[in-house]
Amino acid sequence: LFSAVAVGRAQVQQEAWAEAREGISVHITCSHPSTAAYTTHWYRQHLHQPPQLIAVGVSAGEKAVPELPGSLLIATDRRSSALRLSWPRWQDAAVYYCAVRD
């Protein structure tokens, strides 16, 4: 189970939660249609732990996320992004936050 929470004044929208099975790819999306993000930040928070910054994106495209078996995808118009867990493991179950800076 993956929870996602939106933060910021840019009207960020995220899914309330996503469910995945170990080893089956999942995308956690973040959209902010009214704002083209200058930077996109993704955080992960495990139970009883502080949030941990896991990815920062500045330009459109895809980049690997070393902390996860996956990548960060930023749309060409920079109004949305997705965190792709290509091979999720049980230890990846957490709350995932998206924050943008316009």
Side-chain angles (χ1 to χ4, degrees):
L1 176 66
F2 300 93
S3 295
V5 178
V7 221
R9 294 185 313 214
Q11 299 299 320
V12 173
Q13 302 165 352
Q14 281 187 271
E15 303 151 349
W17 61 276
E19 186 174 324
R21 295 186 187 267
E22 190 168 19
I24 299 175
S25 179
V26 65
H27 285 218
I28 303 170
T29 60
C30 172
S31 64
H32 32 91
S34 63
T35 304
Y38 176 71
T39 57
T40 302
H41 300 87
W42 279 87
Y43 297 85
R44 174 174 61 183
Q45 184 174 19
H46 289 289
L47 189 63
H48 306 299
Q49 298 293 320
Q52 171 193 19
L53 179 64
I54 57 171
V56 176
V58 177
S59 57
E62 182 175 3
K63 73 180 242 179
V65 177
E67 290 79 9
L68 297 173
S71 56
L72 172 61
L73 304 142
I74 298 180
T76 304
D77 65 3
R78 297 186 341 263
R79 294 182 188 275
S80 65
S81 65
L83 195 59
R84 181 179 67 194
L85 284 72
S86 52
W87 191 261
R89 307 156 299 186
W90 66 269
Q91 60 264 41
D92 294 320
V95 176
Y96 288 83
Y97 298 89
C98 167
V100 298
R101 179 171 176 232
D102 54 1

